[in-house]
Amino acid sequence: MGRVTSEPNATLSPYRRIDRADWARLAADLDQPLTETEVVELRGLGDRLDLDEVREVYLPLSRLLSLYATSTKRLGAATSTFLKEDDDTTPFVIGVAGSVAVGKSTIARLLRELVSRWPDTPRVELVTTDGFLYPNAELERRGLMERKGFPESYDRRALVEFLTEVKSGAPEARAPFYSHIRYDIVPDATVVVRRPDVVIVEGLNVLQPPPVPNDVAVSDLFDFSIYVDADPDHIAQWYIDRFLALRKGAFTNPTSYFNVFAHLTDDEARTTALGYWNEINMPNLVENVMPTKHRATLVLNKGLDHAVEHVELRKL
């Protein structure tokens, strides 16, 4: 086994730092469960996810998650035996956090596919916190439309109630549905979760502490959490590149909220994207998202090419 270190100081850091090569060796004996076509279909705009990245980064992560989930299930069964109750283990919940454009949605989709291929073929559901944004009309009423994505733009209480139902073993839990084309909540549309084995929750602010000390944090209802990290300058470039790609793709849909940007020149599109980044996304990242990194169980640290360079895993 190669070098595994803790930063910044082995006696002070609650994390182990594991370089990519050492991390990759932890699943060297696992077969690649995905085809190249499947990986391409999972990849988001701008992401450079490939079979090597899956094998060297995400297969070890899948193996680790499997260990945590299995251990949690065994502990639940042992507790039920101790209490002389029937075993009624609830879903294992994984949170995925990080900046806009850092690739967390791709990672969440990839983990859903990898986790669903565990030997016991668990049922896996993916829920994004976009569905818990307030509708645009409500954001306008509250004067928050320019702060969409900031913590106050989400119905945090509804998200906590949803996850409480999931972790309480409710037969069914419903989340609102968000359309990225309409850039709004779709009335009367829901995402239904019916007691799966694993639930993955992806979003900007899922590791936020509660607004007041006695409230429940969303992350209190996670069994494992992942923060996707990168240099803010790199993320800014990814955001601009993605905006340019969307201008030629999804923005061309006449029903898209962002159709007004479809005919911008390259220079105009870059200027527009940079404005959104500097005025909205960067402040949100610095003020609200980055400070939650230390709350994660595991941190994936990406380089400029979107490849994970090292991993930080919280010590038990």
Side-chain angles (χ1 to χ4, degrees), residues 12-304:
L12 296 178
S13 176
Y15 289 93
R16 296 179 178 88
R17 173 180 166 132
I18 309 170
D19 291 333
R20 179 181 175 122
D22 297 324
W23 179 254
R25 292 189 191 101
L26 300 176
D29 58 330
L30 293 183
D31 292 331
Q32 169 65 271
L34 301 177
T35 66
E36 186 172 3
T37 298
E38 288 172 320
V39 171
V40 170
E41 289 173 347
L42 290 168
R43 192 163 57 203
L45 279 175
D47 287 337
R48 296 193 177 103
L49 183 69
D50 58 22
L51 288 174
D52 286 342
E53 192 79 359
V54 173
R55 181 176 60 254
E56 296 177 8
V57 176
Y58 297 103
L59 282 185
L61 177 53
S62 176
R63 167 173 271 183
L64 181 67
L65 288 170
S66 177
L67 290 174
Y68 270 73
T70 299
S71 297
T72 300
K73 188 172 184 178
R74 286 174 180 165
L75 179 60
T79 303
S80 295
T81 299
F82 171 73
L83 296 173
K84 298 180 173 19
E85 297 176 347
D86 292 335
D87 182 18
D88 195 26
T89 306
T90 60
F92 185 80
V93 181
I94 302 167
V96 181
S99 171
V100 168
V102 81
K104 64 185 181 300
S105 297
T106 295
I107 290 170
R109 291 193 299 270
L110 174 60
L111 289 177
R112 177 182 58 190
E113 295 305 312
L114 292 176
V115 169
S116 68
R117 286 164 167 81
W118 288 350
D120 52 355
T121 56
R123 294 173 298 117
V124 185
E125 296 286 354
L126 171 58
V127 177
T128 71
T129 59
D130 292 338
F132 293 92
L133 284 160
Y134 287 114
N136 287 351
E138 180 63 16
L139 291 174
E140 293 281 8
R141 188 185 72 81
R142 297 184 182 210
L144 293 174
M145 199 61 187
E146 297 304 314
R147 291 180 67 82
K148 194 168 185 177
F150 281 70
E152 61 269 27
S153 67
Y154 291 86
D155 188 344
R156 195 194 71 86
R157 186 169 299 280
L159 176 56
V160 168
E161 289 174 354
F162 167 79
L163 287 175
T164 298
E165 290 181 352
V166 170
K167 287 302 293 179
S168 298
E172 181 177 284
R174 292 177 176 266
F177 177 76
Y178 183 85
S179 167
H180 287 275
I181 295 294
R182 294 172 56 170
Y183 194 57
D184 202 357
I185 301 296
V186 179
D188 301 322
T190 57
V191 177
V192 183
V193 173
R194 295 186 175 91
R195 290 208 64 180
D197 299 287
V198 178
V199 177
I200 300 171
V201 182
E202 177 261 310
L204 283 169
N205 300 298
V206 295
L207 295 180
Q208 280 282 317
V212 295
N214 292 332
D215 269 6
V216 175
V218 172
S219 59
D220 290 339
L221 298 161
F222 294 161
D223 297 290
F224 193 100
S225 54
I226 299 164
Y227 183 91
V228 188
D229 195 24
D231 186 299
D233 289 341
H234 297 167
I235 304 174
Q237 186 58 56
W238 300 339
Y239 179 82
I240 293 168
D241 290 345
R242 189 178 72 173
F243 189 93
L244 291 172
L246 287 169
R247 180 194 50 150
K248 297 177 181 178
F251 292 176
T252 62
N253 185 328
T255 65
S256 170
Y257 179 90
F258 297 103
N259 181 253
V260 291
F261 301 133
H263 303 294
L264 296 178
T265 66
D266 285 353
D267 287 343
E268 290 170 339
R270 287 192 185 91
T271 300
T272 300
L274 188 60
Y276 279 124
W277 176 259
N278 288 333
E279 296 168 15
I280 300 174
N281 294 294
M282 182 62 173
N284 194 24
L285 173 61
V286 172
E287 296 169 18
N288 301 304
V289 182
M290 285 175 60
T292 69
K293 179 173 73 170
H294 73 282
R295 297 171 63 86
T297 314
L298 179 138
V299 180
L300 296 172
N301 292 273
K302 286 186 167 189
L304 178 59

